Amino acid sequence: LQDWLSQFGVVLGSSSSSREKSVEELFQEVEAEKCTLEHYGRLDGLPILLRVVHVVQVKLTNRHHQAHQTFVIQEAKQRGSSGIWASVNRHLSTKVNMSRNDFDHSFFASRAASLVEETIYSITDVHYSINPKAKPREEDFQKARLEVEEANFESYRYHIEKSPSYEDILTMYHMYTVLVVCDGLPNPDFGSISFEKGYPEAYVWRWVTWETSMDLISAQRRVLLRREMQRTEEIRATRAAGQECMKAVKKALSDLEKKVPQKVTEIFDLRARLLQLEAEVISPLEEFSNWSPDKEVSATDRLPPSMVSSLTDRKLVTDDFLAEVSMLKRIESVRSHSHSRRTSYSKLSSFSGSDSRDPMETDWATPVTPGSRDISPWLASASSKSRHSGTITRFNDIRKMPEQTSESYSPSYWFCCSEKKTRTKL
């Protein structure tokens, strides 16, 4: 695998970063069918190496925080082998084995539920930390009593970027988000410990809203930008100092050549080495010293659009599956809105002593008694139907009706139709 990767200029394990994985770990991922390596060729002959990963992402919450639209994310992670804490700030997630063919609602629900149980083996204090010299044992912790009450597939998306584990390889992530409502999670921020990988790992969990999670991403981006700008300034200073030193050495070498009456081979070799040093070290620093965040091009923009479209069509779920999920979410939203509206009218009626029926639920065909003067339900129903018909776009808000003497009542008030600018009788 290393020999095959070398033709793309990829050398794994050469970075000093602790997060970068080795070629052996990549080989194990490929063998376990948790990722694929795909080779593409552009029209200009430039080869493209792409790593494709399918990830189940768990949006974890409980009933209390679900009512407040908050969910829990991994804020930090500590491996017991090293004892070093690493910032995470993302949902709980895991790679999917692509050899399966039963990617349906039950698969995503069961995979998400098992992932929660594996990761949160025992709940600890938010300040708990693993001592590498005295590693904890699994039997010393009480297993958390977690019960998954609800697990529903929520959304699908994708993005392409350089992986933090394999920085030289462009990676496409297919993300499948599952909403999990779990009983037994603490309401404040908490910590947990897991022994699922054979060694202890500690986590810090934080309850956030959607807006808070966006703020965390924005703050992390600002930190990275400041770090890059600081690094750019250091490179500029190093380049300027290198150029000044190179000028001084060249001048000293020229003065030495003038003082020596005959040509010396060592002086010519020294001049050739200086020119080589300038070309290989000083000149490349100019490119890095002119770095700017505005010049950055996203990974998606570097790929041909037809290639990106073809890759997105190879997701694990069908378009019909996603359409069904979208329809179920809309139905649930309508039910939730209707329930909250009935609740508000019920509270209002209990306060005022009037009828608690929602005017929006009044049937348009229901006759109104001759003695009734309040036609607000009719107006609300007419407004609702006008949105679908497109005929009536505006009407006068009439709150009173004339007395009717006939036993059978038919609407006789007038609406103003803004399309025809005429008075239309309904």
Side-chain angles (χ1 to χ4, degrees):
L1 179 60
Q2 182 62 68
D3 294 340
W4 185 75
L5 292 174
S6 61
Q7 64 180 323
F8 304 100
V10 176
V11 180
L12 299 180
S14 60
S15 175
S16 59
S17 174
S18 60
R19 300 183 62 181
E20 186 174 359
K21 296 182 179 180
S22 62
V23 66
E24 290 81 8
E25 293 174 295
L26 177 61
F27 179 78
Q28 292 175 3
E29 284 189 10
V30 175
E31 286 293 305
E33 298 190 38
K34 292 186 176 181
C35 77
T36 59
L37 296 176
E38 303 181 7
H39 173 211
Y40 297 89
R42 298 200 318 189
L43 295 178
D44 56 4
L46 182 66
I48 300 175
L49 177 62
L50 190 67
R51 172 172 167 260
V52 181
V53 182
H54 297 263
V55 179
V56 171
Q57 191 177 57
V58 179
K59 189 175 179 181
L60 185 60
T61 185
N62 58 17
R63 291 298 181 189
H64 171 77
H65 284 279
Q66 187 183 24
H68 296 82
Q69 297 183 353
T70 55
F71 48 87
V72 70
I73 63 170
Q74 285 186 7
E75 185 176 31
K77 174 181 178 181
Q78 181 196 26
R79 288 189 177 183
S81 57
S82 61
I84 300 175
W85 282 96
S87 179
V88 181
N89 290 327
R90 68 183 181 191
H91 292 285
L92 179 62
S93 59
T94 183
K95 300 183 184 71
V96 177
N97 189 323
M98 294 175 289
S99 61
R100 305 174 60 101
N101 55 6
D102 55 343
F103 298 102
D104 52 8
H105 289 279
S106 60
F107 165 76
F108 288 106
S110 60
R111 188 68 191 94
S114 60
L115 179 61
V116 172
E117 294 178 359
E118 293 168 0
T119 309
I120 309 179
Y121 175 81
S122 179
I123 295 177
T124 62
D125 185 76
V126 70
H127 302 292
Y128 174 81
S129 180
I130 298 176
N131 184 3
K133 297 182 180 179
K135 296 181 181 179
R137 298 179 301 175
E138 185 174 347
E139 54 268 19
D140 296 336
F141 291 84
Q142 182 180 2
K143 186 174 176 58
R145 297 180 179 179
L146 302 179
E147 181 181 355
V148 177
E149 299 178 347
E150 181 182 341
N152 297 321
F153 185 92
E154 189 169 78
S155 63
Y156 161 79
R157 69 186 189 280
Y158 73 91
H159 65 274
I160 303 174
E161 65 177 2
K162 287 187 176 181
S163 169
S165 302
Y166 309 101
E167 294 185 356
D168 294 336
I169 303 178
L170 201 61
T171 303
M172 179 173 189
Y173 296 93
H174 295 268
M175 309 296 294
Y176 308 87
T177 303
V178 182
L179 174 65
V180 175
V181 181
C182 186
D183 182 34
L185 295 175
N187 289 331
D189 297 343
F190 63 97
S192 72
I193 190 170
S194 170
F195 299 90
E196 187 265 336
K197 295 182 179 179
Y199 51 85
E201 287 185 325
Y203 303 92
V204 174
W205 304 89
R206 178 180 178 184
W207 294 99
V208 297
T209 61
W210 181 84
E211 293 82 2
T212 306
S213 63
M214 295 300 295
D215 292 340
L216 290 174
I217 295 175
S218 179
Q220 189 173 9
R221 182 178 181 272
R222 289 194 297 268
V223 171
L224 293 176
L225 284 177
R226 284 196 296 267
R227 188 179 301 170
E228 288 295 331
M229 294 301 297
Q230 182 180 2
R231 188 177 303 172
T232 302
E233 292 297 330
E234 292 176 355
I235 291 176
R236 288 174 182 171
T238 303
R239 175 176 171 268
Q243 286 179 336
E244 292 296 328
C245 182
M246 188 65 66
K247 289 180 181 178
V249 173
K250 286 182 178 180
K251 184 177 183 302
L253 187 60
S254 300
D255 295 341
L256 182 61
E257 287 179 342
K258 294 177 181 179
K259 294 180 180 179
V260 176
Q262 57 183 359
K263 296 182 179 180
V264 182
T265 308
E266 288 78 4
I267 295 179
F268 284 99
D269 292 341
L270 181 58
R271 180 177 291 276
R273 288 179 178 273
L274 287 175
L275 294 177
Q276 182 181 2
L277 180 64
E278 185 177 15
E280 295 179 356
V281 179
I282 305 300
S283 298
L285 291 178
E286 183 177 0
E287 180 181 355
F288 293 101
S289 63
N290 295 327
W291 178 87
S292 173
D294 299 332
K295 297 180 181 180
E296 285 292 313
V297 180
S298 64
T300 307
D301 295 336
R302 299 175 186 172
L303 301 178
S306 58
M307 175 182 172
V308 177
S309 177
S310 175
L311 289 170
T312 55
D313 291 338
R314 292 159 56 186
K315 52 186 176 290
L316 299 180
V317 295
T318 62
D319 293 335
D320 293 337
F321 177 86
L322 296 178
E324 177 187 354
V325 171
S326 179
M327 178 62 69
L328 291 175
K329 290 173 64 177
R330 288 198 296 269
I331 292 175
E332 185 64 27
S333 177
V334 170
R335 287 178 179 175
S336 177
H337 179 68
S338 177
H339 174 73
S340 62
R341 190 171 55 194
R342 285 195 299 268
T343 304
S344 62
Y345 273 99
S346 177
K347 292 180 180 179
L348 180 62
S349 62
S350 62
F351 175 76
S352 61
S354 60
D355 187 9
S356 62
R357 184 176 57 178
D358 186 354
M360 293 294 288
E361 298 179 356
T362 304
D363 190 359
W364 175 257
T366 303
V368 180
T369 57
S372 175
R373 292 179 177 270
D374 187 9
I375 62 169
S376 301
W378 277 48
L379 291 174
S381 184
S383 174
S384 177
K385 291 186 176 297
S386 66
R387 300 191 192 102
H388 300 284
S389 62
T391 304
I392 302 174
T393 58
R394 179 173 58 87
F395 58 86
N396 297 329
D397 188 8
I398 305 175
R399 297 295 177 183
K400 298 293 182 179
M401 291 172 42
E403 291 287 342
Q404 302 292 328
T405 56
S406 173
E407 294 183 359
S408 60
Y409 172 76
S410 60
S412 59
Y413 49 91
W414 296 82
F415 289 88
C416 177
C417 179
S418 63
E419 289 184 353
K420 297 182 180 181
K421 303 297 181 181
T422 57
R423 297 171 68 105
T424 306
K425 181 180 180 180
L426 298 182

